[in-house]
Structures are given as C-alpha cells and as structure tokens.
Amino acid sequence: MHRPAPAGNTRPVATVSEPADPLTAFGSRLVDVRLRLREELARLRQELDSFLSGGARPAT
C-alpha cells in the first residue's frame, strides 16, 4: 500500500514492505537469495572440512 505523495510530488512514496520500483524489489530479492546461498555454502564447507578431518559424516 502506498502512502499519499507529499505536496508537489507526483510519485507515491513506497512503504518499507513494498518498493515503488519492481526492479528494486527484484534486486532486493536477488540479494536476499545470494546471502542465504552464501550462508548455506559456508555451512556445507564447514561440514565437509570436519568430515575430511575425521569427523562424523554430515547429515543429509
């Protein structure tokens, strides 16, 4: 939902949950996915390093 535009401004102001520009929203989503994938990759690397050092086999 958009808040009313300030006087003299023809473009509505977006709320935090709804960016005004669809490309901005898409870009934000891509950044979120990238961060989650990096966290998952770091976890997998840690589990693999532990396993290769003689630790328990990682859970599937």
Side-chain angles (χ1 to χ4, degrees):
M1 179 179 245
H2 292 290
R3 289 183 278 153
N9 187 349
T10 58
R11 188 173 179 195
V13 177
T15 63
V16 174
S17 63
E18 182 183 310
D21 183 3
L23 287 177
T24 301
F26 181 68
S28 296
R29 182 72 179 134
L30 287 177
V31 169
D32 290 340
V33 169
R34 178 179 178 267
L35 291 174
R36 279 199 327 266
L37 289 174
R38 286 182 61 158
E39 290 172 356
E40 180 71 10
L41 182 58
R43 184 187 63 77
L44 290 171
R45 284 182 175 154
Q46 186 176 33
E47 287 180 0
L48 181 60
D49 288 343
S50 175
F51 175 69
L52 294 176
S53 304
R57 183 175 181 174
T60 55

